[in-house]
Amino acid sequence: APVPPWVPAGCRSGVVEVERSVTAVLGQDVVLPCRYRAQEGEQVVQVTWLKRGPAGRSAEVAVLNLQHGEHVQESYAGRVLRRAPGALEDGAIVLRN
């Protein structure tokens, strides 16, 4: 298979691990997991969470950035939190209520 243009030839990348589905209870918090199994020498600098809407359109929910911290869209303010501080290899979020 051809190498995508954004991956330098000969470079290997890690694996993103997510749940295929997550069950939530209305009114309770839910963890949306996302873990990156990095290869040696890799570092995650940003995780972006998007909500897929009608007709396949996506809207940004939150951006977790190693240098600039977290940015949550106003409509989700107070409802989206990082599950764990530290390295962004664990990019899971908690969606409250």
Side-chain angles (χ1 to χ4, degrees), residues 2-8:
V3 176
W6 57 87
V7 178

Side-chain angles (χ1 to χ4, degrees), residues 24 32-33 41 45 55 57 70 74 76 79 82-83 86 89-90 92:
L32 302 179
V45 295
R57 294 185 181 200
E70 304 166 30
E74 192 173 325
Y76 290 93
R79 291 190 55 218
R82 267 196 78 188
R83 179 177 64 176
E89 279 74 11
D90 182 354

Side-chain angles (χ1 to χ4, degrees), residues 10-35:
C11 286
R12 292 177 54 202
S13 60
V15 177
V16 176
E17 298 175 348
V18 295
E19 297 293 327
R20 188 157 181 86
S21 78
V22 174
T23 301
V25 177
L26 186 64
Q28 295 189 8
D29 297 353
V30 64
V31 174
L32 302 179
C34 178
R35 175 168 286 283

